[in-house]
């Protein structure tokens, strides 16, 4: 049964801008690839490898968003209005101190990192140049995560969408000019796409700072250097989530290695299936981030029963949304695959795995939402342990054994993944029902 209309409206009012912004954010690498595509196969491959390397590096900072959001939502629920932005201040300091040395290390070791991801010297050379431009924006990315967490935490998520749209306009305009040398700009080729994206991210950082300076100063924004306890509280929440995101991303690299042990066709089909699933679960992630704020605010008011109810209310709405998105995959698999694959044998190979993917994203709703809700309660270590244990100790070993050793191929790997997604959601449902997270303080 769906939540009542007032709760449903509240969930959607918070989740819709987040989901729309995340969908546009996921387009950044696709935009770079589309713009560079006309330059040829090598630049396109270089941008793809460089983008994945940036994804791995960015994962190190991702926990700052949930760390700031969970604390902000709790202060908001406690009606401690003048303290709401103190976690944001702490997050910004950590973002600066953490991202600068990582940026310098990545600039120095870019050839090694990109060479490890790709054996082709020609592709690696392009990837290194593109990645070095992109990694200059790491400090902006880390700080944007903090701002996003604050504004989502006080249920004003529409700022996230507005600023993302401006960033995309800047990204496209700057990248086109720098790739092809329009308007007197240098023709930088693939590296121009990286430079344009970095410029757009610093533009976004400037807009976030301006909005927060105008509206968040009464809540303590830039009130002074954060104290040691504020820095520690934010780090305690951010580090497990960042560690989880880094290894979760690395798990996909291992998955593609497993598919590579089967055959090239499985890699090609798997690439399409994975990217489709990652795109289609974004509404579930957006709803989960809404649950993070709603649960955190309820706990701040000491409304424990309401906090527990919010988790399941959002799960029910996520089931419906993801089921609607999964319908074309189940009912029209050949038509969906035909958008991306043009070989009949590849479409036949991916047909049943795509239908399984549709079932997976519905099963994933519980884990997506309750995982984020637990972050809102401060159970970051629990989420990290459950996620990484099931991925690395259950799914990946079984996927290799069934797909490679038992020679069940791509379909066998996808059946294993279906079971893993169901087990993952069951695990998070049990953790939520045990309610031990109600005892955590932030």
């Amino acid at each position: 049964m769906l939540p009542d209309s007032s709760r449903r409206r509240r969930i959607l009012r918070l989740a819709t801008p987040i989901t729309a912004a995340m969908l546009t954010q996921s387009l950044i690498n696709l935009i770079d690839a589309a713009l560079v595509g006309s330059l040829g196969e090598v630049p396109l491959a270089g941008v793809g490898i460089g983008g994945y390397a940036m994804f791995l590096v960015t994962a190190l900072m991702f926990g700052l968003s949930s760390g700031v959001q969970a604390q902000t939502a709790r202060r908001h629920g406690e009606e401690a209005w003048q303290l709401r932005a103190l976690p944001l201040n702490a997050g910004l300091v950590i973002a600066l101190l953490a991202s600068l040395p990582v940026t310098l290390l990545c600039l120095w070791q870019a050839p090694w990192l990109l060479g490890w991801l790709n054996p082709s010297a020609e592709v690696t050379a392009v990837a290194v140049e593109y990645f070095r431009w992109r990694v200059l924006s790491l400090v902006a990315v880390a700080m944007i995560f903090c701002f996003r967490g604050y504004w989502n935490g006080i249920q004003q998520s529409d700022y996230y969408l507005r600023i993302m749209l401006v960033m995309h306009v800047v990204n496209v305009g700057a990248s086109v000019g720098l790739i092809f040398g329009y308007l007197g700009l240098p023709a930088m080729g693939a590296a121009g796409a990286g430079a344009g994206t970095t410029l757009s991210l610093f533009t976004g950082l400037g807009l976030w700072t301006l909005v927060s300076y105008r509206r968040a100063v009464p809540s303590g924004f830039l009130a002074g250097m954060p104290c040691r306890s504020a820095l520690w509280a934010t780090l305690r929440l951010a580090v497990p989530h960042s560690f989880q995101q880094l290894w979760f991303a690395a798990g996909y690299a291992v998955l593609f290695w497993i598919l590579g042990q089967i055959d090239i066709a499985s890699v090609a089909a798997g690439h399409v299936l994975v990217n489709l699933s990652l795109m289609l679960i974004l509404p579930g992630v957006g709803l989960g981030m809404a649950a993070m704020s709603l649960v955190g605010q309820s706990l701040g008011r000491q409304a424990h029963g309401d906090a527990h109810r919010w988790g399941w209310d959002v799960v029910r709405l996520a089931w419906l949304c993801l089921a609607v998105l999964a319908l074309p995959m189940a009912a029209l698999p050949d038509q969906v695959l035909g958008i991306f694959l043009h070989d009949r044998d590849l479409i036949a190979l991916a047909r049943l795995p795509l239908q399984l993917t549709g079932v997976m994203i519905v099963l994933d709703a519980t884990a997506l939402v309750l995982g984020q809700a637990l972050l809102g309660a401060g159970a970051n270590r629990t989420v990290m342990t459950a996620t990484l244990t099931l991925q690395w100790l259950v799914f990946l070993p079984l996927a290799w054994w069934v797909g490679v050793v038992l020679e069940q191929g791509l379909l066998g790997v996808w059946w294993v993944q279906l079971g893993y997604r169901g087990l993952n959601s069951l695990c998070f449902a049990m953790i939520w029902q045990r309610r031990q997270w109600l005892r955590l303080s932030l």
Side-chain angles (χ1 to χ4, degrees), residues 269 272-273 276 332-342 346-352 354:
V272 171
L273 294 168
L276 270 174
L332 303 168
D334 287 14
Q335 288 81 350
V336 174
L337 290 168
I339 299 171
F340 307 97
L341 302 173
H342 305 288
L346 277 180
I347 292 174
L349 175 67
R351 183 181 297 118
L352 183 51
L354 179 67

Side-chain angles (χ1 to χ4, degrees), residues 28-108:
I28 286 179
N29 287 338
L30 292 176
I31 289 171
D32 283 355
L35 293 174
V36 172
S38 63
L39 300 179
E41 184 179 84
V42 170
L44 183 59
V47 166
I49 296 297
Y52 181 70
M54 187 64 191
F55 173 62
L56 288 174
V57 174
T58 300
L60 293 170
M61 307 295 163
F62 194 81
L64 287 169
S65 179
S66 60
V68 171
Q69 184 172 338
Q71 294 179 85
T72 300
R74 190 71 67 94
R75 302 292 90 78
H76 187 81
E78 293 167 350
E79 298 185 359
W81 312 121
Q82 73 280 9
L83 303 178
R84 292 186 305 178
L86 297 188
L88 171 59
N89 296 336
L92 292 173
V93 170
I94 294 169
L96 182 65
L97 294 178
S99 60
L100 288 179
V102 173
T103 299
L104 293 174
L105 180 64
C106 287
L107 289 171
W108 175 40

Side-chain angles (χ1 to χ4, degrees), residues 255-274 337 340-351 353 409-411 413-414:
L255 174 61
F256 281 110
W257 176 83
I258 292 171
L259 295 178
Q261 304 305 301
I262 299 170
D263 54 36
I264 295 174
S266 295
V267 175
H271 180 73
V272 171
L273 294 168
V274 166
L337 290 168
F340 307 97
L341 302 173
H342 305 288
D343 183 282
R344 290 184 179 180
D345 291 337
L346 277 180
I347 292 174
L349 175 67
R351 183 181 297 118
L410 176 70
L411 182 58
V413 171
W414 247 246

Side-chain angles (χ1 to χ4, degrees), residues 189-207:
T197 299
T198 291
L199 178 62
S200 74
L201 286 161
F202 276 103
T203 301
L205 176 60
L207 291 173

Side-chain angles (χ1 to χ4, degrees), residues 145-184:
F145 283 154
C146 298
F147 283 116
R148 185 183 76 182
Y150 171 78
W151 288 100
N152 288 350
I154 62 172
Q155 294 193 29
Q156 295 189 32
S157 55
D158 54 321
Y159 285 112
Y160 180 25
L161 176 58
R162 295 178 194 176
I163 291 174
M164 279 302 306
L165 292 175
V166 174
M167 288 169 58
H168 279 304
V169 172
V170 174
N171 182 27
V172 173
S175 295
V176 168
L178 290 169
I179 290 170
F180 303 106
Y182 295 146
L183 301 176

